[in-house]
Amino acid sequence: MKDIRNRSWVMLACMLCAMSRLPAQATARSANEAGDETAQFGKVDAVVERAVAEGNIPGAVLLIGHDEKVIHRKAFGMRSLEPTREAMTLDTVFDLASLTKCVATTISVMQLVEDGRIRLADAVATYLPEFAQNGKKDITIRDLLTHYSGLAPDLDLKIPWEGRAKAFEMAMMQKPQNPPGSRFVYSDINFETLGFIVEKVTGTTLDKYASEHIYQPLGMKDTRFLPPAEWRSRIAPTQYDEEGAMLRGVVHDPTARRMGGVAGHAGLFSTADDLSKFAEDLLSGFTVLNKAAVEKMSTPQQPVNAAALRGLGWDIDSPFSTNRGELLPVGSFGHTGFTGTSLWIDPVTDTYIVLLTNAVHPRGGKSTVSLRAKVATALVEALELTATEEDKYRLARITGYNEALTASRRITARNGQVKTGIGMLEAHAFRELGADAAHPVRVGLVTNQTGLDSRGARTVDVLAHAPGIKLAAIFSPEHGIAGQLDTTEINGSQDAATGVPVYSVYGDSDAKRRPSEAVIAGLDAIVFDIQDVGVRFYTYETTMGYFLEAAAKTRKPIVILDRPNPVGGTLVQGPVADAGRESFVDYGQTPVRHGMTMGELARMFNAERGIGARLTVVPMEGWMRGDWFDSTGAMWVNPSPNMRNLTEAILYPGIGMIEGSNISVGRGTDTPFEVVGAPWVKAQELAVYLNAREIDGVRFVPTEFTPTSSSYANEKCGGVQIVVTDRNVLDAAELGVEVGSALNALYPASYKLDAIDGLMVNKASLSEIRAGNDPRRIAEEWIEGMNKFGTVRGKYLLY
């Protein structure tokens, strides 16, 4: 929790939903404590009254709810200015515009998800086969709900068309403007399509379904599409249409109008009182959706590393949330409508705000963005809310992070000074080892060239000269004690400086990769100090697991000296390894990128695998989960011969994952894992293909290279150089699937796809790549596994 970005917990300015910074037990001042309601909400009312007086809006209805009751409700200004002047009333019916997306379509879709009739990860074409044409076969229901489908903002209104059938045809004919999952583009077509899905699955129209399953159960008698004529006198008019007629009781949105007034993106009419009932049910009633569905709908569901945060249908923090100012909301959700409507709900404080205006009346051109911000600022003074530390923690868990990354922290960079486990052991005078000058503790050290303290002293030398400790054995992992060997033929040796025997625990068989029980039996304790790279198939993790097993079997204590995860401790990416396929490159069922340190992994392995070793982890001091290696202040030491810098470590989870296939990943060049190619690859063709995929965080430059060793040694390879443009948004594991999919699509006769599963260890993903499915959709299928892993992982995190 130490590394959460500084954010104010008392300011709630710049957005109606910014009340999300508040705790579950937060309370508003009562009228008795703060005077009567007029005094309490006087500044809030003054903001709206000023907007009316300055002509920014004709009028408004403001309703604030808190602790399961309405605490403020007021009408302002005029309902109509033209052609007649009418005063605003509390029962005024408003054209909700895009609030329809949430109050009608999203809830309808989530009910179908809740009932198991549709799945968020399903392709839209599963329910609307016509949708698959023109490159849309891999767009999912989740993509539509989060506005990451890549579809255009709206149907073409420059050409004459009319009717729902024509709208359906046009939606089905759409061609994505961006690859699905790559960009946030707010699109009405997404919700028009979702409306069609609701109708196809339920066999009834969207308006009838919503009425029967949402509005009638909640007693929302003034909410519906196509309002009847008898409502007309209460409806707030919007603006003049193309024929010069004032729209009143007819939907303002031109696409919805052409569709007959019922559409998934617009067309719903309602009152503040009805929206109050709706908000209360999402907060505590759970009549139309169960609590789990509401939570899923209202927390980040966009692609894992996307910048614009969207729930399912609901806005959290996107370009459409600029009136939040600089404060990032936590735990709240909401939406707005073009006509001047908004609804924001905060489940943490049990608070909601309904602000309904007809700002477009009578001739359009007005915005309510600044009004909402000013109302929020004034509301801070009207409501006093406090935050408990527990609630701050709970809220911070979902601050801008996808559900697959719950409990994660991320900061861009900092100038830190991290003291690693060996430094802390020295600072503690080796107490974790029970150092005793009279009876020196015989220690076996598992280490390599990365085992250095902040002064550059080898852990070997530190322990060899530590009082009360006798360094009796050194164990070297893959690549040997100096980390320079790229062979399975690594023999034992003797450390030149200390004379301590060095035992290799790497080779071409399982027996050679495990420590000798006879050597372990002669020790009092085992110490492990190796720098990892945070990737499942990096073999140092398995070596540590084998020493945990040996320690448990021989009843020797084992001490892990923790070190930073160089690619950070926040992001969890990639498929979880298949059960029953454990090997030297897959010690546990973790995702490819697990976001854990070696000490945390040791805790998890020891408990979850039932090893039961006498484990002690010496944690670091000053490391934050959001730290990349360049934020630690530590010296980079190559953890293996081809892991030469942080950029290569960033790319390794994906490029390393596919290197088992018949490609070169740059081993034998100056830039391993930064290039990918083969003699049969056409560099320009591959670069164009991959850049067209618009993969977040990377670009591809066509190149040629000749490896001096490993795959295609001394052969000229065509390929791409991978340029990291934003490491914080890159999904490295998905990048591996993108590259593998591209090679399989462009060179099916040459590329040996099946070999990538040796390190990916996920047959389902391999099958989907083979079938030509979109890599982003394949990555979506990993979310459930990552969520389950995250629950387990959370129990063992130290930082």
Side-chain angles (χ1 to χ4, degrees):
M1 296 308 300
K2 297 177 183 176
D3 60 332
I4 301 174
R5 285 178 259 183
N6 289 330
R7 300 186 180 105
S8 169
W9 288 95
V10 295
M11 290 295 293
L12 186 126
C14 308
M15 190 61 178
L16 289 176
C17 77
M19 295 178 65
S20 57
R21 290 177 184 73
L22 308 165
Q25 297 176 351
T27 58
R29 288 188 297 177
S30 68
N32 290 335
E33 293 172 314
D36 60 20
E37 184 178 297
T38 301
Q40 185 177 11
F41 294 101
K43 291 186 178 181
V44 179
D45 293 346
V47 171
V48 184
E49 289 164 353
R50 191 176 307 115
V52 173
E54 293 175 354
N56 293 318
I57 57 173
V61 175
L62 173 65
L63 187 151
I64 300 170
H66 179 71
D67 280 350
E68 301 185 26
K69 62 180 179 293
V70 174
I71 60 174
H72 189 57
R73 177 173 173 265
K74 189 170 182 177
F76 304 81
M78 306 299 290
R79 176 163 58 206
S80 173
L81 299 176
E82 296 181 16
T84 61
R85 293 182 64 83
E86 303 169 19
M88 185 68 73
T89 60
L90 288 169
D91 64 348
T92 296
V93 178
F94 290 85
D95 180 340
L96 296 185
S98 283
L99 273 181
T100 302
K101 293 179 173 71
C102 297
V103 183
T105 309
T106 296
I107 302 300
S108 299
V109 170
M110 291 305 296
Q111 286 183 344
L112 298 179
V113 171
E114 190 178 273
D115 292 341
R117 301 173 73 179
I118 63 176
R119 294 175 64 247
L120 294 173
D122 282 345
V124 175
T126 303
Y127 307 96
L128 303 174
E130 306 94 325
F131 189 82
Q133 59 190 306
N134 294 328
K136 301 194 300 301
K137 69 181 181 68
D138 290 311
I139 295 176
T140 66
I141 291 175
R142 183 191 294 272
D143 292 333
L144 298 181
L145 284 164
T146 57
H147 294 289
Y148 278 85
S149 68
L151 296 179
D154 199 2
L155 300 177
D156 190 353
L157 295 174
K158 296 177 182 178
I159 60 174
W161 62 270
E162 200 76 29
R164 291 176 60 76
K166 184 62 177 178
F168 179 86
E169 176 187 333
M170 293 173 69
M172 300 303 105
M173 290 291 293
Q174 288 292 307
K175 183 177 182 179
Q177 295 183 334
N178 307 102
S182 66
R183 295 288 182 272
F184 170 74
V185 178
Y186 184 84
S187 171
D188 287 344
I189 299 174
N190 290 335
F191 277 77
E192 291 153 9
T193 303
L194 287 166
F196 293 137
I197 290 175
V198 171
E199 295 180 340
K200 180 69 174 290
V201 172
T202 65
T204 188
T205 59
L206 176 63
D207 58 327
K208 290 181 179 178
Y209 179 87
S211 176
E212 293 175 7
H213 294 84
I214 304 172
Y215 313 136
Q216 290 179 27
L218 295 180
M220 297 170 63
K221 297 180 181 179
D222 290 326
T223 302
R224 61 171 295 170
F225 293 86
L226 304 172
E230 56 266 27
W231 288 16
R232 192 175 190 278
S233 62
R234 288 195 294 129
I235 295 175
T238 52
Q239 72 185 98
Y240 294 103
D241 67 9
E242 299 84 352
E243 306 299 326
M246 178 59 70
L247 295 172
R248 187 167 191 173
V250 177
V251 63
H252 176 268
D253 182 87
T255 302
R257 230 182 307 146
R258 292 193 190 190
M259 292 175 65
V262 178
H265 73 292
L268 194 65
F269 288 74
S270 189
T271 64
D273 287 339
D274 268 11
L275 291 180
S276 172
K277 297 175 183 177
F278 176 81
E280 286 284 7
D281 191 66
L282 295 188
L283 285 170
S284 58
F286 307 120
T287 301
V288 296
L289 289 176
N290 64 36
K291 187 174 182 179
V294 171
E295 182 174 351
K296 190 174 188 70
M297 173 182 71
S298 58
T299 52
Q301 300 292 328
Q302 76 292 330
V304 172
N305 291 329
L309 307 180
R310 301 287 300 196
L312 299 174
W314 296 91
D315 194 8
I316 296 172
D317 187 37
S318 76
F320 289 81
S321 305
T322 53
N323 47 351
R324 284 187 175 94
E326 296 182 356
L327 299 177
L328 186 67
V330 185
S332 70
F333 57 99
H335 213 282
T336 60
F338 183 79
T339 52
T341 58
S342 66
L343 169 64
W344 290 95
I345 303 172
D346 179 22
V348 178
T349 60
D350 192 14
T351 305
Y352 58 89
I353 305 171
V354 180
L355 179 61
L356 302 181
T357 78
N358 53 339
V360 295
H361 182 69
R363 291 178 174 80
K366 302 292 177 62
S367 170
T368 56
V369 171
S370 63
L371 171 61
R372 295 171 190 145
K374 292 174 182 177
V375 168
T377 301
L379 192 59
V380 173
E381 299 180 18
L383 297 177
E384 288 184 352
L385 301 137
T386 58
T388 66
E389 290 302 315
E390 179 180 354
D391 286 319
K392 286 180 184 179
Y393 173 74
R394 188 172 75 85
L395 290 175
R397 291 175 66 236
I398 60 171
T399 309
Y401 298 97
N402 188 276
E403 63 173 348
L405 299 179
T406 300
S408 297
R409 300 290 164 269
R410 178 172 57 210
I411 59 178
T412 302
R414 70 184 185 99
N415 297 320
Q417 288 296 323
V418 175
K419 184 176 287 187
T420 62
I422 180 59
M424 297 306 296
L425 185 69
E426 291 178 85
H428 298 163
F430 307 97
R431 68 179 182 227
E432 288 87 352
L433 295 178
D436 185 346
H439 302 89
V441 178
R442 295 167 299 171
V443 168
L445 173 63
V446 191
T447 193
N448 60 7
Q449 76 288 350
T450 65
L452 302 174
D453 69 7
S454 60
R455 298 172 292 111
R458 296 189 307 163
T459 305
V460 169
D461 297 316
V462 171
L463 294 183
H465 298 96
I469 292 175
K470 176 179 174 55
L471 183 60
I474 300 171
F475 301 92
S476 67
E478 183 179 3
H479 307 300
I481 189 65
Q484 298 176 348
L485 304 177
D486 227 348
T487 175
T488 57
E489 298 299 324
I490 302 177
N491 299 316
S493 61
Q494 187 177 64
D495 181 63
T498 63
V500 176
V502 178
Y503 301 93
S504 173
V505 284
Y506 183 69
D508 56 7
S509 67
D510 182 73
K512 292 179 180 179
R513 295 167 180 169
R514 295 177 181 270
S516 162
E517 289 188 19
V519 175
I520 297 292
L523 303 174
D524 297 316
I526 301 167
V527 176
F528 188 99
D529 187 22
I530 294 178
Q531 176 64 59
D532 188 39
V533 297
V535 178
R536 184 220 300 149
F537 43 79
Y538 210 60
T539 62
Y540 300 158
E541 296 177 7
T542 300
T543 296
M544 181 178 67
Y546 288 171
F547 272 89
L548 285 169
E549 294 175 17
K553 188 172 183 179
T554 58
R555 299 182 180 180
K556 305 292 183 180
I558 181 169
V559 177
I560 308 296
L561 304 181
D562 213 5
R563 290 187 173 272
N565 184 324
V567 293
T570 66
L571 300 178
V572 176
Q573 298 173 336
V576 173
D578 291 335
R581 298 183 62 191
E582 291 78 5
S583 70
F584 193 55
V585 290
D586 171 31
Y587 188 72
Q589 282 186 271
T590 70
V592 169
R593 182 178 178 182
H594 47 65
M596 302 177 77
T597 67
M598 288 293 259
E600 292 170 338
L601 282 172
R603 283 160 47 87
M604 184 176 71
F605 291 162
N606 198 42
E608 297 297 322
R609 292 177 64 99
I611 296 173
R614 292 162 56 195
L615 170 66
T616 299
V617 174
V618 180
M620 297 173 280
E621 181 178 88
W623 188 69
M624 302 164 79
R625 296 216 74 81
D627 282 345
W628 298 84
F629 195 83
D630 55 24
S631 291
T632 66
M635 178 77 71
W636 178 272
V637 177
N638 295 347
S640 56
N642 286 285
M643 193 63 61
R644 301 172 187 172
N645 56 53
L646 180 55
T647 296
E648 291 167 4
I650 290 168
L651 294 170
Y652 183 67
I655 304 307
M657 184 176 73
I658 64 172
E659 76 164 314
S661 58
N662 59 328
I663 55 171
S664 169
V665 295
R667 292 182 186 269
T669 73
D670 292 335
T671 55
F673 306 111
E674 297 182 59
V675 293
V676 175
W680 37 266
V681 169
K682 298 177 181 178
Q684 292 279 358
E685 181 179 47
L686 180 59
V688 167
Y689 184 101
L690 287 169
N691 282 326
R693 290 289 300 159
E694 297 186 17
I695 302 166
D696 284 340
V698 289
R699 293 289 291 171
F700 301 88
V701 178
T703 190
E704 292 181 337
F705 59 94
T706 303
T708 59
S709 62
S710 194
S711 299
Y712 302 115
N714 302 316
E715 292 186 62
K716 186 167 72 173
C717 297
V720 293
Q721 178 187 5
I722 306 170
V723 179
V724 177
T725 59
D726 189 343
R727 63 190 183 184
N728 289 305
V729 301
L730 172 64
D731 187 324
E734 186 177 328
L735 169 65
V737 174
E738 287 277 8
V739 174
S741 294
L743 292 169
N744 194 53
L746 293 174
Y747 314 109
S750 300
Y751 186 53
K752 307 302 182 184
L753 173 67
D754 288 3
I756 72 172
D757 196 44
L759 296 179
M760 185 169 65
V761 197
N762 189 280
K763 292 295 186 185
S765 294
L766 177 64
S767 296
E768 293 199 46
I769 298 171
R770 189 186 298 116
N773 291 339
D774 189 290
R776 290 187 175 93
R777 185 179 175 194
I778 295 171
E780 283 186 5
E781 297 292 339
W782 301 339
I783 291 176
E784 183 178 353
M786 287 190 293
N787 284 340
K788 291 179 179 178
F789 170 74
T791 300
V792 175
R793 169 182 180 266
K795 296 186 292 184
Y796 304 104
L797 300 184
L798 294 169
Y799 312 93

